[in-house]
Amino acid sequence: MIIKDCLNLSIKKLISSSTPQCDAEVLLSFVLKKNRSYLMCYYDKQITSKEQMLFEKLLLRRMQGEPVAYLIKRKDFWSLSLKVDKGVFIPRPETELLVELVLNWKRNKISKVLDLGTGCGAIALALAASKINWSILGIDRNKKAIKLSKYNLSRLKLYNVKFLYSNYWFSKVKYLQFDFIVSNPPYLSKSEFILFNKNIRYEPINSLVSNIEGLYDIMYIIHCSKQYLVNEGWLFLEHGWKQKDIVKKLFKKNGFKNILSFKDHAQKDRVVCGQKK
């Protein structure tokens, strides 16, 4: 079978995906060990039976809802290509807003940053790659995530970021303070998880779902963060697009000042930040 026919057939099979052409091209590129432009230039090239068999196996898993990132064990975030795997949350494009905001924030000194719930290290590594004089610490309660983030760190050869396992949010940083604390915590309610289950059921539920209608972890982080921030330090939190008002109230209730909210590139409320008084 030639590349063009292989893609056309697979796109029809991926009708339940919101991005069938992209999925098919990424999977076939992965199998062929080529980039996507190669598929366009050599669309009439024959693929081997071995390549077709592997592609069809991956295609079947994608048709069943498994994320492309898990199938190819890679996810692009910011300017980085990161290894991802089952059992670790897949970084989302909207989370790049957190990175963009922190990098562009007006501070006149070298900054120390804490990334809470670092996952595969996406936020921490993006910040570290962009600000080589900053000191970044990423922590997570998922041991597999820490192992994966350390792998990504070694592959990217960055020397200004560390990753630590922590059985709860701040348990390993009791005597440290930071200029910035950033986090993309779990913020789905249990009912939302059921509603979206088809698209996210392969990812770790602890990285997605929080008690108290998706707000428990956000409440905990806001409540505890001030003791881990330097004077005038900033907390940046990603949240669900309907949670902006309650999150801003929580910042205010816990004594933060200069509370601001930001929309992602889809124009949905996505990040709230506040400054320690």
Side-chain angles (χ1 to χ4, degrees), residues 87-88 140-150 165-166:
V88 179
D140 206 293
R141 58 187 173 185
N142 180 340
K143 291 182 179 179
K144 187 171 184 179
I146 291 300
K147 183 177 180 180
L148 197 56
S149 63
K150 287 181 176 179
Y165 167 76
S166 177

Side-chain angles (χ1 to χ4, degrees), residues 22 27 36 67 88 116-117 124 143 154 179 202 219 226 230-231:
C22 178
L27 292 177
R36 287 171 67 184
V88 179
L116 289 171
K143 291 182 179 179
S154 65
D179 299 287
Y202 287 88
M219 293 167 66
K226 287 182 72 176
V230 300
N231 290 336

Side-chain angles (χ1 to χ4, degrees), residues 104-276:
N104 292 325
W105 217 248
K106 293 180 180 178
R107 288 189 71 84
N108 297 319
K109 63 173 186 173
I110 296 170
S111 294
K112 292 175 64 179
V113 184
L114 174 63
D115 175 21
L116 289 171
T118 194
C120 68
I123 295 171
L125 292 168
L127 292 173
S130 302
K131 296 285 187 178
I132 59 173
N133 60 334
W134 285 15
S135 176
I136 321 288
L137 175 61
I139 63 175
D140 206 293
R141 58 187 173 185
N142 180 340
K143 291 182 179 179
K144 187 171 184 179
I146 291 300
K147 183 177 180 180
L148 197 56
S149 63
K150 287 181 176 179
Y151 172 86
N152 284 322
L153 172 61
S154 65
R155 193 173 58 81
L156 292 168
K157 293 182 171 57
L158 296 170
Y159 303 100
N160 57 332
V161 57
K162 294 181 179 179
F163 294 105
L164 289 177
Y165 167 76
S166 177
N167 61 355
Y168 208 59
W169 292 113
F170 296 98
S171 62
K172 287 292 178 69
V173 294
K174 288 183 179 178
Y175 306 106
L176 300 177
Q177 287 192 315
F178 302 87
D179 299 287
F180 293 104
I181 296 176
V182 298
S183 184
N184 175 21
Y187 54 71
L188 292 182
S189 66
K190 291 177 181 177
S191 59
E192 286 174 321
F193 178 76
I194 293 170
L195 180 64
F196 300 136
N197 187 262
K198 180 182 177 182
N199 296 320
I200 59 178
R201 67 181 184 274
Y202 287 88
E203 295 183 76
I205 189 170
N206 288 341
S207 298
L208 296 162
V209 176
S210 187
N211 291 328
I212 314 180
E213 292 301 303
L215 289 166
Y216 177 79
D217 291 284
I218 287 175
M219 293 167 66
Y220 184 89
I221 291 170
I222 295 172
H223 178 73
C224 296
S225 283
K226 287 182 72 176
Q227 72 182 90
Y228 302 102
L229 285 168
V230 300
N231 290 336
E232 308 292 310
W234 289 85
L235 170 64
F236 285 77
L237 279 182
E238 182 172 326
H239 57 77
W241 65 281
K242 293 181 179 180
Q243 295 174 329
K244 180 191 78 172
D245 292 339
I246 184 64
V247 172
K248 289 182 75 174
K249 287 178 183 177
L250 289 168
F251 268 78
K252 186 175 181 179
K253 181 180 177 182
N254 283 274
F256 283 84
K257 65 179 181 179
N258 297 326
I259 301 162
L260 301 167
S261 64
F262 301 89
K263 296 180 184 292
D264 62 22
H265 295 300
Q267 293 305 302
K268 291 185 176 181
D269 294 312
R270 188 61 63 191
V271 172
V272 168
C273 72
Q275 188 177 26
K276 178 179 177 179

Side-chain angles (χ1 to χ4, degrees), residues 15-72:
I15 191 169
S16 61
S17 169
S18 59
T19 55
Q21 182 171 341
C22 178
D23 292 356
E25 291 177 359
V26 169
L27 292 177
L28 188 55
S29 298
F30 174 72
V31 168
L32 299 179
K33 297 181 174 61
K34 304 289 185 181
N35 57 41
R36 287 171 67 184
S37 61
Y38 175 90
L39 304 181
M40 304 300 106
C41 295
Y42 299 95
Y43 60 88
D44 58 347
K45 183 175 176 62
Q46 196 81 20
I47 66 173
T48 68
S49 57
K50 185 178 180 180
E51 289 168 339
Q52 186 173 341
M53 187 180 300
L54 176 56
F55 177 69
E56 287 176 353
K57 285 181 179 179
L58 293 175
L59 188 64
L60 179 60
R61 289 166 63 185
R62 180 64 189 129
M63 289 165 61
Q64 293 170 341
E66 190 170 346
V68 171
Y70 285 161
L71 297 176
I72 67 173

